[in-house]
Amino acid sequence: MKIPNPLTPELQQRTTGTGRILALVGGVIMIAAPFLPWAYGRSALDNMTVLGYPSPMQFLFLVLGLLVVGFLVGSHLYLKRRRKRRVGWVRGAKSAATGGLIYIVLIIISIAVELEGLVNVEYGGWVALIGAGLAFVGTKLMLADRAPNLGGLVAKPWIEIICVAAVMALALFGAAFALNMDDGGSFVSFLGFIGAIIAVLFTSGVMGFLSSCTQRHRKVLILSAFVVAFAFPLTQGGSDANMSIATQVIIFAATAMGLNIVVGLAGLLDLGYIAFLGAGAFTAAILSKSAFATIDWHPPFIVVVLISGCVSATLGLIIGSPTLRVSGDYLAIVTLAFGEIFRISMINLDGTDGPDLTHGSNGIPGVPDLNLFGFDFGDTHVLFGIPLGRFSNYYFLLLLVIGLIILVFVRLNNSRIGRGWVAIREDEKAAEAMGVNVFGLKLFAFAGGAFLAGVAGSVKAHVDVSVTPDQYVFLESAFLLAAIVLGGMGTVLGVLIGATILKLMPEKLRFVSEYRLLIFGLLLVLMMRFRPEGLVPNQRRQLEFHDDDEDLVDRIEEEVEETGLVKGGGAS
């Protein structure tokens, strides 16, 4: 229920006018402040000591100032011409101003921490803070316009294709820029900037237009995504450190995509999923040509991948058959126990407590690099004059693996099996009453997700060189589940984004290693409070969590009418 505004129309207009002036002044100050020095020493962030020459981090603040002024000017022009507002001008200005304030606060805190004191913040930093504060207060005094609706806007096909390609190019630039950051404060501030830009896109309605473009040009989106992904190693200048992080991100994302079948589609809470990844990794290590391998049989890698997936799927069937008859909290407890049983079993297979398959807690080290069709993944290769090391080689292989996993996920989601999983997730009793084979589909989800995890684990064994039981603890399962919840259950893009954030943040926040889990917990709390449906949810789950949001309901209904999209669509 909406609370009526107690202000009279005259007072509303006067307050809005005052707010507009304050916001414009603040936006202009935000544009000018980056040309002033912000820090006393060069060692803070990316050298913000030069007068008249903004650093990259200062330039990002200038972009937020331009957005504030641009949205306010656009709002004034549209109000003057009395045209139909499809863009949320005031909403966009509010998000840009709020994001600018958060961004400059993060910058000032980083300077104070790295240079040991607020006294090292130069006058330009305080001017920027004042400008962001004025913009924030001014936009808060303005009345928010109607919820934007650009989802039904149709442009010329070539313009929409350029927009899709431009978004993917910006994603490539942003990923390369973030991964090359060695300073923790710069990385955190950059995340704040990205969050502000995403908020602006959503509140202004631009994200609705981009979403409709991707729906109409899905093939262009997929092609652009893979071109960007394959071009990423070329932006790293042969850095093995950065490509090592990128490789681990893809392994984590591929595993999370398999878990997304179990949790996101079928609604089965699995807290021991990391065991299936470990089963695939141990299988690949045992069958490898390592000097410590315990089985004297070394089939080709393609065969090893299939065997690893089948071993993990068999474990899923063995565990799922007796346990999937329970649900909810009971299923979570059983799967949690399974994860711990797997880890302890791998430790006991040391030749003393059981057969010598894994060498116990020592695991299987010395797993050799792959050699497929004469291509040695351990050698450095040169492409366009850029050296590509072993991690870049495995990165390309993993792209093919995760592409296969995404294809399987999307096909299953859009099939009769996927609809059965969604029915079970929404109401198991109703699905059973309608003739859905509940137990069979749940068991298939468990085994199918396990198979995909085993495939990812077979590559992980060669990337990590060694496989030990301590790599597969409960905390890893919790992170996988958090990636799905954070990104958006049942979606492809959401899980990829969630997995990237949760795997990349710990690597870049090593300077606060003692507080990384605290930051992670606070992030999840904030997400559950303000966006429980995830970063990239489907429309059904978004309406489930915000069924009292009339603006959201109206906007989605208009998008359905204008674009013909099915409400509550599947993977996005």
Side-chain angles (χ1 to χ4, degrees):
M1 178 179 180
K2 293 186 177 180
I3 301 176
N5 198 320
L7 301 179
T8 62
E10 295 79 6
L11 188 56
Q12 289 179 7
Q13 185 175 4
R14 188 186 310 169
T15 303
T16 299
T18 303
R20 187 183 301 276
I21 294 174
L22 284 177
L24 279 173
V25 171
V28 172
I29 294 176
M30 290 174 66
I31 295 173
F35 295 91
L36 304 175
W38 286 9
Y40 181 75
R42 295 182 178 181
S43 60
L45 302 179
D46 58 349
N47 189 11
M48 299 180 172
T49 61
V50 182
L51 176 65
Y53 189 78
S55 70
M57 300 301 294
Q58 288 175 302
F59 181 78
L60 296 181
F61 185 74
L62 185 149
V63 171
L64 293 175
L66 288 174
L67 289 176
V68 172
V69 174
F71 277 113
L72 291 175
V73 172
S75 173
H76 177 71
L77 292 178
Y78 266 69
L79 181 64
K80 186 176 181 179
R81 297 178 183 180
R82 296 182 179 181
R83 292 181 177 180
K84 181 181 178 181
R85 292 191 181 188
R86 299 177 67 92
V87 180
W89 297 105
V90 178
R91 291 172 181 261
K94 286 176 179 286
S95 297
T98 304
L101 181 61
I102 295 174
Y103 181 79
I104 189 60
V105 168
L106 291 174
I107 290 288
I108 291 177
I109 292 175
S110 299
I111 294 174
V113 170
E114 295 183 13
L115 296 181
E116 300 181 354
L118 286 173
V119 69
N120 294 293
V121 180
E122 287 282 7
Y123 65 93
W126 301 115
V127 171
L129 181 62
I130 292 173
L134 289 175
F136 176 77
V137 174
T139 54
K140 286 298 181 183
L141 292 176
M142 299 178 63
L143 295 177
D145 42 18
R146 187 178 180 272
N149 176 29
L150 291 178
L153 181 63
V154 180
K156 294 182 178 180
W158 64 270
I159 295 179
E160 295 184 346
I161 291 175
I162 289 177
C163 289
V164 174
V167 169
M168 299 309 301
L170 289 175
L172 172 62
F173 173 77
F177 185 73
L179 204 55
N180 283 320
M181 286 182 174
D182 296 326
D183 184 83
S186 298
F187 179 75
V188 174
S189 301
F190 182 70
L191 287 183
F193 171 78
I194 294 298
I197 294 298
I198 293 175
V200 169
L201 293 177
F202 272 106
T203 55
S204 64
V206 176
M207 188 62 77
F209 171 69
L210 294 176
S211 177
S212 62
C213 288
T214 58
Q215 291 288 342
R216 288 190 289 270
H217 305 281
R218 185 177 293 274
K219 293 182 179 179
V220 175
L221 174 66
I222 296 174
L223 178 61
S224 301
F226 274 94
V227 168
V228 165
F230 276 99
F232 178 75
L234 303 178
T235 66
Q236 300 305 305
S239 172
D240 271 345
N242 288 346
M243 291 312 303
S244 174
I245 297 174
T247 302
Q248 294 299 328
V249 167
I250 295 186
I251 293 174
F252 188 77
T255 310
M257 194 61 64
L259 180 60
N260 198 22
I261 293 178
V262 181
V263 178
L265 296 184
L268 306 174
L269 185 55
D270 189 349
L271 297 181
Y273 188 77
I274 195 65
F276 301 126
L277 179 69
F282 269 106
T283 301
I286 291 172
L287 297 178
S288 70
K289 295 182 180 180
S290 170
F292 301 92
T294 54
I295 294 181
D296 190 19
W297 181 49
H298 314 295
F301 179 69
I302 302 299
V303 178
V304 172
V305 169
L306 296 176
I307 294 175
S308 299
C310 291
V311 168
S312 296
T314 302
L315 286 178
L317 291 174
I318 294 174
I319 299 301
S321 297
T323 60
L324 286 181
R325 300 188 183 277
V326 299
S327 60
D329 300 337
Y330 301 101
L331 178 61
I333 294 173
V334 171
T335 54
L336 172 62
F338 165 66
E340 288 301 303
I341 290 172
F342 171 80
R343 184 179 63 85
I344 296 173
S345 297
M346 294 300 102
I347 295 176
N348 289 336
L349 295 177
D350 57 356
T352 301
D353 299 318
D356 188 11
L357 288 178
T358 64
H359 299 307
S361 58
N362 294 324
I364 301 177
V367 180
D369 288 310
L370 292 174
N371 192 312
L372 297 179
F373 309 106
F375 184 87
D376 191 345
F377 282 74
D379 291 343
T380 299
H381 303 83
V382 179
L383 182 63
F384 302 118
I386 300 175
L388 301 176
R390 69 181 299 270
F391 289 110
S392 297
N393 299 331
Y394 282 110
Y395 174 87
F396 290 123
L397 175 62
L398 284 165
L399 281 182
L400 298 178
V401 173
I402 196 172
L404 175 64
I405 291 176
I406 291 175
L407 178 63
V408 171
F409 177 87
V410 172
R411 291 298 184 184
L412 286 175
N413 187 27
N414 295 330
S415 67
R416 179 181 178 183
I417 295 175
R419 292 192 293 272
W421 282 336
V422 173
I424 294 172
R425 184 191 68 193
E426 297 300 325
D427 194 326
E428 183 175 330
K429 296 297 183 183
E432 188 174 8
M434 295 299 295
V436 176
N437 186 357
V438 173
F439 179 75
L441 287 180
K442 288 166 68 174
L443 192 60
F444 181 66
F446 220 70
F451 180 88
L452 297 180
V455 170
S458 64
V459 183
K460 178 178 171 61
H462 292 273
V463 174
D464 294 344
V465 180
S466 66
V467 181
T468 60
D470 290 339
Q471 292 175 313
Y472 307 99
V473 295
F474 164 71
L475 188 60
E476 294 297 323
S477 293
F479 268 85
L480 287 170
L481 182 61
I484 295 174
V485 176
L486 177 65
M489 294 174 59
T491 65
V492 173
L493 181 60
V495 172
L496 294 178
I497 293 176
T500 302
I501 292 175
L502 290 186
K503 199 63 179 180
L504 189 60
M505 282 187 64
E507 295 293 337
K508 292 298 182 180
L509 296 180
R510 291 185 179 275
F511 68 102
V512 288
S513 57
E514 297 180 357
Y515 303 100
R516 282 187 293 178
L517 287 180
L518 175 62
I519 296 174
F520 167 68
L522 290 176
L523 175 65
L524 289 183
V525 170
L526 292 175
M527 280 296 304
M528 293 303 100
R529 170 59 182 85
F530 296 103
R531 197 169 178 82
E533 68 274 21
L535 294 175
V536 187
N538 58 34
Q539 292 179 348
R540 176 190 287 123
R541 291 190 62 82
Q542 196 170 15
L543 286 174
E544 287 175 359
F545 284 103
H546 301 282
D547 55 355
D548 57 342
D549 190 337
E550 297 181 7
D551 289 339
L552 175 64
V553 175
D554 293 340
R555 187 176 78 245
I556 290 180
E557 287 180 351
E558 290 178 6
E559 289 180 2
V560 171
E561 293 175 358
E562 296 184 13
T563 65
L565 299 177
V566 179
K567 188 186 301 182
S572 58

